Structures are given as C-alpha cells and as structure tokens.
Amino acid sequence: MSQKTFLTCAVTGNITTPDQTPHLPVTPAQISAECLAAAEAGAAAVHIHVRDPKTGKPSMDLELYREVFDNVRRENPELIINLTTGPGGRFIPSVEDPRVAAPGSTLVQPEKRVEHVRVLKPDVCSLDLNTMNSGGDVVINTPRNVRIMAKIMREAGVKPELEIFDSGDMHLARDLIADGTLDGPGMWTFVTGVKYGFSPSPETLLYARSLLPAGAIWSAFGIGRFEFPIVAQAWFAGGHVRVGMEDNIYLEKGVLAKSNAELVTKAKRIIEDLGGELANPREARAMLNLPSRTGSK
C-alpha cells in the first residue's frame, strides 16, 4: 500500500437506536461533538444523519442538518462533511393493500431527500443505488429517482458517494456514468453485512473491486461484528475504510463503544499495525479532488 488510507466515521445513522446503546449521539450538539472527536482521533471525513432530539428517531429536518453542519464546519473547516441522502427511501406495504404504505414507510419524492444537500452544499453526500429487501421492508431507489437526486447534487457542486449494497447497484452506477448522469470514475463505498446484500468477505471485496471503472476510489465497511475485519480486508485490497456507531456499537465482543472516537482509534491501530497510515482531511481532499478549505476558519 503506497497511498494513505482515509477513514470516514458514520456517527449515528438511521437504524441504531438509543435503546441499544446509551452512547449514541442524538441531539445536534451531541452529533457535532462526536464528529469533531472522531476527527481528532483520525477520521478525515464524517458521514452524518440527524435525529429528532426529543424522540431519538431518525429525522430529515433541514434545520437539524444545518445546526450540525454549521457546528462542524466552524470548528474544523477542513474535515470532509458527507451528508446522507438515504432516508426517504423505505417502503412498507400494508397487509390490506400492498400498493398502500403502512406506518413506518418513509418513501418521499427524490427532491425532498436531497433538499438539505441543495441548501447546505456539503463536500460529499451519499447516493444509494439499491432497491432491495431490508429486514421485513423494502428500500426503493429507482433509476428515475437516482437521476433526479444526482442532477441536484451536480447543480449544488456536491460529490456523490455511491453506496453499493450489491453488484446490480454497480451496473446501474456504471450506466449512469456512461450516459453522463454521474461523473466517472467516481467515489464508491461497498456496504457489507446487510442481510440480503453483499456478504462481508474478502471474495466480495475483490469481486466488487473488479467491477469498478479504472481509476475509481473506493471504501468498504462491515456491519456489526464485521466492522473491524472489513477494515483490515479493505486495506489489504487497496481500499479506504469506514467505522462508526451507524454500523456497529461494540468496541469488542460484549463491550459497548463509549464514543465514535473509540471506534476510530481502534481502526487506526489496525491500519497502522498492518503497515498503513491514515490520511488527514487535507490529504483526503486531494485524493477526492475536493477543494481545500485551509484558512477558511
């Protein structure tokens, strides 16, 4: 490995609940603090969801995003901010009529899913390409809706992070690059360990890597107990890495992580023990062709 590895920390996510761990950040202040602490521990980028401060449930509220975004940018301008656009794609069919959404469905118009990106203009935002079973529900990302979101991202000057849950997602993304909807070769992230998606294995990473366009930058992460094994496997395969409480809440078996920074510190140790080195935000920006923000504080 001749290049440095950039690490993304996904600090709270959409699925992990406060009932699972008392250390999950919920309020904008808590989420902001976790982002900044993760950066101090070695993260070059933070992937951000927001939550309703009163209920702890996932939210798509623009003002919550704005508060976290402003807090992080004010304190650490160079840190790469990656806002999610995943919420708003879940559909639960009702038993009586599967064409009608049941309670818990979040499916909304694609424009709504990227409103915060259009307004805040982060460095990066996720772009999911998966339509797949997710637990007992379905996540829907049709080619039409992906195109709409990609267009708004481009107009906002935001780099899409292509989140890949299975190989079909990659073929869709390559078609979108070929027709000019997306700029190639792209920034890709392989999501492993989600049931009914990519399995968390070396074979998966090597297969997914083989489908990438030449020159693509890619990362990978594992869910739950697969988080740290995938850190090592991604590094060996030439990729970058992600950890965080969105994906895993345990520092080791039976031991809850008290912070995202603890997860970052462990991932950093794994990479350094293997002979690698983490990139700082400025170096990661250069890898991703993102403008430097040095001197903007």
Side-chain angles (χ1 to χ4, degrees):
M1 292 286 294
S2 59
Q3 66 172 352
K4 291 185 179 181
T5 302
F6 74 80
L7 184 150
T8 299
C9 184
V11 299
T12 189
N14 202 40
I15 302 297
T16 310
T17 68
D19 291 339
Q20 293 173 301
T21 172
H23 308 297
L24 184 72
V26 169
T27 68
Q30 290 169 343
I31 294 170
S32 304
E34 285 288 296
C35 288
L36 295 168
E40 286 293 320
V46 286
H47 178 65
I48 298 171
H49 290 244
V50 293
R51 292 171 177 265
D52 184 324
K54 296 179 180 178
T55 67
K57 293 182 178 179
S59 174
M60 296 174 67
D61 186 276
L62 172 60
E63 293 310 312
L64 295 176
Y65 277 112
R66 189 193 304 276
E67 185 174 350
V68 175
F69 180 90
D70 288 347
N71 288 346
V72 173
R73 182 122 296 172
R74 181 177 59 251
E75 296 299 322
N76 190 339
E78 198 75 3
L79 180 62
I80 297 170
I81 295 179
N82 176 339
L83 298 184
T84 185
T85 66
R90 186 169 295 272
F91 181 75
I92 306 172
S94 64
V95 174
E96 296 78 12
D97 185 347
R99 296 173 298 180
V100 176
S105 292
T106 64
L107 191 63
V108 296
Q109 292 178 324
E111 294 86 352
K112 175 65 176 175
R113 293 176 61 182
V114 291
E115 178 187 11
H116 58 302
V117 170
R118 179 184 60 79
V119 173
L120 299 175
K121 296 178 173 56
D123 305 295
V124 175
C125 68
S126 62
L127 180 61
D128 295 352
L129 295 106
N130 62 317
T131 293
M132 63 182 289
N133 293 321
S134 177
D137 311 332
V138 177
V139 171
I140 299 176
N141 289 288
T142 63
R144 171 188 177 273
N145 288 356
V146 170
R147 290 178 191 279
I148 291 170
M149 291 191 289
K151 181 175 184 292
I152 294 171
M153 293 172 190
R154 173 175 281 174
E155 291 171 347
V158 178
K159 190 178 191 73
E161 174 209 16
L162 308 178
E163 291 216 350
I164 305 299
F165 290 76
D166 210 342
S167 57
D169 305 351
M170 301 192 71
H171 295 299
L172 172 58
R174 291 195 62 137
D175 283 351
L176 296 176
I177 290 172
D179 68 20
T181 300
L182 295 171
D183 294 328
M187 175 186 180
W188 306 65
T189 297
F190 306 147
V191 184
T192 73
V194 175
K195 195 172 185 180
Y196 310 129
F198 270 151
S199 63
S201 68
E203 292 84 359
T204 292
L205 295 187
L206 295 178
Y207 171 59
R209 188 185 66 176
S210 75
L211 298 177
L212 289 170
I217 287 183
W218 66 276
S219 300
F221 65 92
I223 299 298
R225 64 188 177 91
F226 301 109
E227 181 166 74
F228 295 115
I230 291 295
V231 166
Q233 291 169 29
W235 184 86
F236 274 118
H240 303 277
V241 300
R242 169 174 137 172
V243 295
M245 288 190 184
E246 174 173 352
D247 309 325
N248 163 59
I249 59 175
Y250 290 98
L251 192 62
E252 57 187 75
K253 186 175 181 179
V255 179
L256 289 171
K258 294 183 177 65
S259 68
N260 281 278
E262 284 192 339
L263 299 172
V264 173
T265 297
K266 181 169 181 176
K268 179 182 180 181
R269 186 177 73 245
I270 290 169
I271 290 169
E272 291 180 345
D273 284 351
L274 293 172
E277 184 179 359
L278 287 185
N280 62 37
R282 176 180 51 79
E283 292 166 331
R285 282 179 177 276
M287 293 179 196
L288 296 171
N289 293 317
L290 296 172
S292 173
R293 295 185 55 85
T294 300
S296 60
K297 185 172 179 180

